[in-house]
Amino acid sequence: MPEWPEWIDDVLTINSYVPADAVRWDDFVRHSDAATFCHLSGWQQVIEQTWSHQQVSLYAEVDGQIIGVLPLFLIRRRWFGDMLLSTPNAVYGGVIANTAEAYRALIEAARALAIDQKVDYLELREPGLSNCEPSDEKGQPLDLYVTFERPLMADEDALMKSFPRDVRRMIRQGEKHRLCAEFGREDLLDEFYEVYAVSVRNLGTPVFPKKLFANFLRQFPANSDILLIRQDGQVAGAVLSFYFRDTVMPYYGGAYREFHHAGINNFMYWELMRRSAQRGYTRFDFGRSKLGTGACEFKRGWRMTERSLPYQFFPIRVDKAPDLNPANPKFKLMIEVWKRLPLGITKLIGPRIVRNFP
């Protein structure tokens, strides 16, 4: 490991995370207003189990108490360069800290580690919730994503009336087409994975391995589940969600095209909202979407609170972030070819490709 910046003294120290720190780490995360589900130590375990990326997470400590954390992974990529990332497969990541000094120390330590490991860049997927982000420690902004959220209420009529008219109409289409919902976990994994794999193939996107979802479900048995939507027994759509404090977060979802006319997507997220509200959750986090995409416009149609995600890029051996956006014209042909590949082939080679796009 590199030497940490000289100004870090005996009072504030930066330490490398080891599994024995998990309880203290998670205790800090659960009590930090700026923390997200993606900051939990279990997320790091899933990434290690699934991809074998090297975990190099850091935490700030004062008098034996953790006051800041930075989940961090070293990712070596043959074709796309090496990077330090917080956090793989996560909407949110980056530093959460109780003080500006701890925030600054963790950023400087991460940059020192990036230089030591000779990576191309450091990327932090900041959630934009912290009030301890000094401007002089900002990297280059990556203004690619927005996130959407809204409150939930247990009164189903009030919840339904809070949606725009078009959204309510599509939810009722699902009811008219006899769509019904069921919740489960590993028992629904195979059916979930099939509809998810088809959906991302149709978007021209490589699919994650089933192992990733199985690992999430095993790691978070009380904080994750699968919602499956059927019509007369036939699967129409499915979503895997995470639960953290007062929030439900649908994270991986998909639906078969033949059910789009039946309002499958609107019905599915309505069912997740109302069932979550019944269980006491009061906030719905619709996750991130790239600006200019169909997913972004679909979420905007719900008229939720929209917030830019202030991801940060710190160049180390390159001048700017690689343009890996699917909207990049370079990927147009590859995307169109991918959409036409047999599903079995996309399941076989997709995970090998998507490993490089964490």
Side-chain angles (χ1 to χ4, degrees), residues 19-321:
D21 297 316
V23 173
R24 292 197 306 142
W25 176 291
D26 286 342
D27 184 65
F28 172 80
V29 168
R30 291 192 174 96
H31 289 88
S32 171
D33 291 340
T36 70
F37 189 78
C38 307
H39 284 92
L40 291 169
S41 65
W43 194 284
Q44 299 172 60
Q45 292 183 47
V46 169
I47 298 305
E48 289 184 288
Q49 293 165 359
T50 305
W51 304 113
S52 298
H53 295 316
Q54 183 181 351
Q55 185 262 115
V56 289
S57 300
L58 307 170
Y59 64 90
E61 190 174 41
V62 171
D63 295 331
Q65 296 294 318
I66 293 178
I67 63 168
V69 300
L70 172 56
L72 199 61
F73 280 81
L74 175 61
I75 300 173
R76 303 290 188 185
R77 305 182 297 181
R78 178 176 298 180
W79 306 113
F80 302 102
D82 301 332
M83 64 187 298
L84 278 180
L85 175 63
S86 178
T87 305
N89 300 129
V91 170
Y92 308 119
V95 176
I96 52 172
N98 289 347
T99 68
E101 289 77 16
Y103 180 93
R104 176 187 172 197
L106 285 165
I107 291 288
E108 289 198 8
R111 294 174 72 175
L113 180 60
I115 293 170
D116 180 76
Q117 293 295 320
K118 298 180 174 61
V119 300
D120 293 297
Y121 59 93
L122 164 69
E123 180 182 327
L124 304 181
R125 295 175 176 173
E126 302 277 349
L129 300 174
S130 175
N131 58 1
C132 294
E133 299 177 10
S135 60
D136 61 343
E137 295 304 323
K138 289 287 188 179
Q140 299 175 12
L142 297 176
D143 299 321
L144 296 175
Y145 298 98
V146 292
T147 187
F148 301 83
E149 60 186 43
R150 62 156 296 138
L152 297 178
M153 59 279 290
D155 186 326
E156 287 188 18
D157 289 338
L159 181 61
M160 177 68 82
K161 290 176 181 177
S162 69
F163 301 135
R165 181 179 299 175
D166 288 347
V167 171
R168 298 199 303 267
R169 180 177 62 83
M170 293 306 294
I171 292 171
R172 294 189 181 104
Q173 282 296 314
E175 295 169 347
K176 291 178 181 177
H177 284 83
R178 305 180 310 284
L179 298 185
C180 60
E182 66 177 289
F183 282 87
R185 295 181 48 73
E186 286 88 346
D187 56 315
L188 300 181
L189 179 58
D190 289 344
E191 291 173 298
F192 159 82
Y193 188 69
E194 191 69 15
V195 63
Y196 178 76
V198 169
S199 296
V200 297
R201 189 276 311 272
N202 291 343
L203 293 172
T205 303
V207 69
F208 291 117
K210 188 188 295 185
K211 178 181 178 181
L212 175 67
F213 309 113
N215 286 339
F216 272 129
L217 291 169
R218 282 194 291 266
Q219 183 63 47
F220 298 106
N223 303 99
S224 65
D225 61 26
I226 292 172
L227 168 61
L228 203 70
I229 305 298
R230 300 184 191 273
Q231 183 193 67
D232 301 331
Q234 183 179 354
V235 175
V239 59
L240 191 156
S241 302
F242 299 125
Y243 301 84
F244 182 65
R245 295 196 291 233
D246 64 344
T247 301
V248 54
M249 181 167 55
Y251 211 82
Y252 299 104
Y256 290 119
R257 284 176 173 170
E258 54 265 38
F259 292 97
H260 284 184
H261 74 284
I264 173 60
N265 288 303
N266 296 75
F267 181 83
M268 181 165 66
Y269 292 116
W270 156 250
E271 282 293 310
L272 181 61
M273 286 185 215
R274 77 177 189 86
R275 301 280 189 102
S276 298
Q278 289 173 358
R279 293 163 60 186
Y281 293 95
T282 58
R283 178 173 169 267
F284 185 82
D285 181 342
F286 220 166
R288 77 177 186 188
S289 289
K290 280 190 176 76
L291 290 166
T293 64
C296 184
E297 294 308 310
F298 172 76
K299 293 176 183 180
R300 279 178 174 165
W302 292 75
R303 293 182 191 164
M304 298 186 180
T305 300
E306 181 176 336
R307 177 169 55 85
S308 296
L309 287 174
Y311 290 2
Q312 301 294 317
F313 171 82
F314 296 85
I316 306 297
R317 301 177 67 186
V318 296
D319 295 327
K320 62 180 182 179

